[in-house]
Structure formats: C-alpha cells, structure tokens
Amino acid sequence: MLHVEEQLNVIKSGVAGIVPEEALSAKLAKGQPLIVKLGVDPTAPDLHLGHAVPLRKLRQFQDLGHEVVLIIGDFTALIGDPSGRNSTRPPLTRDEIEANAATYIEQAFRILDTARTTLRRNSEWLEELTFSDLLRLTSRFTVARLLERDDFQKRYRDGVGISLHEFLYPVAQAYDSVAIKADVELGGTDQLFNLLAARELMEKEDMEAQVCLTLPLLEGIDGVQKMSKTYNNYIGLTDEASDMFGKTMSIPDELMIKYYRLCTTVSVEEIGSIERGLSENSLHPNAAKRRLAREIVTLYHSAEVAEEAEAAFDRVFKEHEIPKDVPEVSLDLPQEVHLPALLKDLGLVSSNGEGRRMIAGGGVRIDGNQVSPDTLDLSRDAVVGTTIQVGKRRFARVAGRR
C-alpha cells in the first residue's frame, strides 16, 4: 500500500469533507485494508455522471488496496430516503426495486472492479430484525436529534407531515454500517446526517466508528442545477458516445476541473497540471475540454469510440455536416403536421411544450435551414424525407417520400 500521506492525497481529491479526517489517517496508518461502504437505494433504473461520482471514489479506494462493499438498499428503498424531500416519497414495489437494482448493478460495475467488490442487500439483516430489536435500536436516537435534519426541521416548521417510518430511515441506514463493520462510508453532501447517524450508532454499540466522507453534488451541463434527468442536464452512463462527447463539450469552462476530478481516472497530479495550464493560459480551454470529453467517453465506451465521437462532433460543429448515423423514424403523418408534436414523436423533445420553446428560440432546423420562430404547422411534404435537428446534438430523419 502507498504511504498514508500519498493515500490521503488521492482520497481527498474532489471530496467535500472528511469527518473526522484525523480518524481516517489513524485507520490508514494501521496498514490494513479498510472496509469502505456505499449504500444506494435503487429508486431509478438509469445512472448518470452525478451518480457515478461516489462510485469513482470507491474505485480509487479499490486501486489503493481497500475493500469495497456496495450495499443495495432494497429494504431501505421501501421506506424512501427523505433527504432533501419536502413531502413523503411515494413507495416503490419490490418488483420495481428489483428491476431498478438489476440495471443499477450492471451500470455500477462499469466503474467498479467486480473482483474486488462485495455486493450486499440490506434486506439480509434488516428483514431479520424483530420488533424488540427495533425498539433497542431506536432507543439509541432521540426525536430531538432526528429533528436536527434540515428537511425534517423545515417540514415540521411548515406543518408538512412527516411519516413515522421516515424517522426510521437514518436508523436503518446506520444499522447497515454496524452490520458490515464499515471503516469509511461515502455519500453526497446531502447525506451527511445519515452518515453521522451511523457513526453515532457504532459508537453506542461499542464499535470503532466509521469515517464519513462526503462528495460534492455534480452540476449538470447547464452549470447551474445539480445533474438530474428532471432538469434534462445530465450525461447518462448509457448515452451514445456522440451524445456523451457533445454534452461534455457543452459544460461551462469553469466546471472542467471539477469534472476531471469527479468523473475521470486522470491522476491527481495531472489534473493539477491541467488546472495550472488553464490558469496560466498555456493550455487552451477547448483542448482541455476535448480531452475531458475523450476521457469520459473512453471510460464508458472505448478509446477508439471516443476518437470516432470527436470526429463526428467536428463534422457537425466545425464542418456543419449532418451526422452519418442519424436515426430514421417512420411515422404515419397527416397532410398538415403540427411541428411540436412531430418533434416529440421523433424523440427530439420530451413534450409539445418543449418543442414550441425550441422552435421559438430558433433551435430547430430542417435540412440545415432554421425554422422560423413562429412556425408551428407545416405540410406533410415539407418534412417527409428531411433531417430535423433540435439544439446542437439531436437529429432524426423522417422516413418516406415527399
């Protein structure tokens, strides 16, 4: 294993906080592999780069020689994590949880080393608890302590209901750490309360308490909101290579280093060199961003595919050509076509409303020609056989003849 200071240099890169840092140093100084935990509730099937941030940090721990335990919260998902919620989360069925878990695991192992990852489900120990076990566990926490959570405080203050089972979520997650004897637990900054609850429970169980390592929430490609499908600002782990490359090229320059630290395997030292080059103007931002896009595409596809994605990007944005692999969609169209609805049917927008906004903003082109902002209806002959573009990266060809 690397020396403690060398390990800390890698571990601390890109993190938001380590509580307490001196405890992590002491654990590392023992020279033994640490048990590093990440618990995830499979509440959605697809992952994006924001979800991948803690997985990347887990991989760093693996590469440093530590043991990683990925806990699928199939039991806690039945409760629903109340973190950041202003209302009770709708419950998922067990079938939904299992379906989401299957795709989550497949995507997580695109990042983690399968051979060095222990996969557990927290139903293994939480379903075995008796009511007397639950009473003993809940006696370790006070209502006042649980109400210190910002989201609970706000809901209580605003008179918004808090279901009793939601109070049990941090208790259950804390017990996960007890069950596997975690040395370190990872989570987003919004998870700090839950991570500290586990540390507190371990101390009360006369165990060596875990270290809480928090990671920043990753802003989406808009540079404003956190990455989320809700805000349509995400880069999905299963995105096509060309989309992944193009989306990365659209992030604000000031986010590049954060993306390098949280989303790539580039070494800490090399990222420092890139950061210096940008600040001293010896490295052009476009060159740095192109490398970032190649690094990300390579991780989830391959280096060869990344080169092809970059070439495709240049054909569209430098040479203003239509991509070669535009999907062709066959539709049964009326004589008069409502353009926002057509964009939705082609999969270029998520709703008619988004289609109208893109048209009004000048973001729609037909065979390279911009659609007038006040155009909502076109004849069938005007769209059949054409290539329609929405924004910079979304293309579709309407099948058929005029």
Side-chain angles (χ1 to χ4, degrees):
M1 282 190 175
L2 294 175
H3 187 271
V4 171
E5 289 305 318
E6 292 176 304
Q7 290 195 62
L8 282 173
N9 186 44
V10 174
I11 292 168
K12 289 166 68 174
S13 177
V15 306
I18 301 174
V19 184
E21 186 173 329
E22 60 272 15
L24 177 59
S25 298
K27 286 176 180 285
L28 292 171
K30 295 177 183 178
Q32 299 173 347
L34 303 182
I35 297 174
V36 185
K37 166 201 172 190
L38 174 67
V40 291
D41 287 352
T43 54
D46 296 317
L47 305 185
H48 52 60
L49 288 186
H51 296 124
V53 169
L55 293 170
R56 286 266 157 236
K57 185 58 66 175
L58 280 184
R59 181 57 188 259
Q60 285 184 339
F61 273 103
Q62 286 182 323
D63 293 341
L64 290 170
H66 300 289
E67 300 176 11
V68 160
V69 180
L70 178 64
I71 297 178
I72 301 299
D74 60 335
F75 193 89
T76 43
L78 293 170
I79 302 173
D81 185 2
S83 296
R85 305 282 297 185
N86 57 14
S87 62
T88 301
R89 185 187 294 273
L92 294 174
T93 66
R94 286 191 179 271
D95 286 345
E96 289 172 329
I97 291 168
E98 281 306 310
N100 290 345
T103 54
Y104 189 106
I105 292 166
E106 185 275 325
Q107 292 170 60
F109 281 130
R110 295 184 181 201
I111 298 170
L112 300 176
D113 183 339
T114 309
R116 293 185 289 174
T117 304
T118 300
L119 185 67
R120 305 288 298 272
R121 284 173 161 76
N122 61 13
S123 59
E124 294 174 33
W125 47 84
L126 292 177
E127 279 190 335
E128 299 301 314
L129 295 177
T130 65
F131 197 76
S132 60
D133 293 330
L134 184 61
L135 290 177
R136 185 184 68 81
L137 276 178
T138 52
S139 71
R140 302 294 200 185
F141 298 88
T142 67
V143 173
R145 176 78 174 94
L146 293 172
L147 282 174
E148 290 176 11
R149 286 180 58 129
D150 290 341
D151 37 25
F152 284 161
Q153 270 189 38
K154 186 175 188 305
R155 285 161 65 180
Y156 184 74
R157 186 172 59 247
D158 295 345
V160 177
I162 305 171
S163 295
L164 182 58
H165 76 281
E166 292 183 275
F167 278 132
L168 297 180
Y169 187 90
V171 177
Q173 184 168 312
Y175 191 71
D176 290 349
S177 293
V178 170
I180 67 162
K181 301 180 174 61
D183 288 303
V184 180
E185 181 174 10
L186 276 58
T189 51
D190 59 340
Q191 290 290 312
L192 182 58
F193 183 95
N194 292 340
L195 272 57
L196 289 172
R199 179 176 169 81
E200 184 177 332
L201 180 60
M202 294 176 84
E203 288 174 338
K204 290 178 178 178
E205 294 288 307
D206 295 323
M207 300 173 64
E208 183 177 324
Q210 69 179 21
V211 172
C212 307
L213 190 152
T214 57
L215 294 150
L217 300 178
L218 183 69
E219 293 89 344
I221 59 177
D222 58 356
V224 180
Q225 302 277 11
K226 75 172 184 177
M227 187 173 286
S228 170
K229 287 195 170 185
T230 302
Y231 304 129
N232 196 30
N233 64 354
Y234 67 95
I235 301 174
L237 301 195
T238 57
D239 277 355
E240 293 292 331
S242 57
D243 285 342
M244 193 174 279
F245 191 97
K247 287 179 180 180
T248 304
M249 289 298 294
S250 72
I251 69 170
D253 289 354
E254 57 270 20
L255 277 182
M256 273 195 288
I257 295 301
K258 187 171 186 178
Y259 269 63
Y260 265 108
R261 293 193 190 282
L262 299 179
C263 305
T264 76
T265 57
V266 177
S267 70
V268 174
E269 293 75 20
E270 197 166 356
I271 294 172
S273 177
I274 293 169
E275 187 171 22
R276 286 191 298 275
L278 290 170
S279 64
E280 295 167 0
N281 295 319
S282 60
L283 176 62
H284 196 284
N286 184 263
K289 196 176 293 184
R290 280 175 175 271
R291 178 177 176 187
L292 174 64
R294 288 196 303 271
E295 293 282 350
I296 290 173
V297 175
T298 297
L299 284 173
Y300 299 102
H301 294 277
S302 71
E304 182 181 1
V305 171
E307 288 182 13
E308 294 170 358
E310 184 171 16
F313 178 85
D314 286 341
R315 283 195 296 271
V316 175
F317 295 101
K318 290 176 67 176
E319 301 160 23
H320 304 291
E321 292 182 12
I322 293 173
K324 295 179 180 179
D325 56 350
V326 173
E328 188 168 271
V329 182
S330 182
L331 297 171
D332 185 13
L333 298 173
Q335 287 303 312
E336 184 174 70
V337 177
H338 187 55
L339 188 53
L342 175 63
L343 299 180
K344 181 177 181 295
D345 291 341
L346 291 171
L348 298 174
V349 296
S350 60
S351 65
N352 287 7
E354 184 188 357
R356 285 191 290 271
R357 289 192 295 274
M358 293 302 296
I359 295 167
V364 178
R365 292 177 179 272
I366 298 178
D367 282 343
N369 300 309
Q370 187 180 67
V371 173
S372 172
D374 58 357
T375 300
L376 292 179
D377 297 291
L378 292 169
S379 69
R380 181 181 185 278
D381 289 345
V383 296
V384 172
T386 67
T387 297
I388 299 181
Q389 176 182 356
V390 175
K392 294 180 178 180
R393 292 178 301 277
R394 287 171 277 175
F395 294 85
R397 186 171 287 117
V398 185
R401 296 179 180 176
R402 288 186 176 85

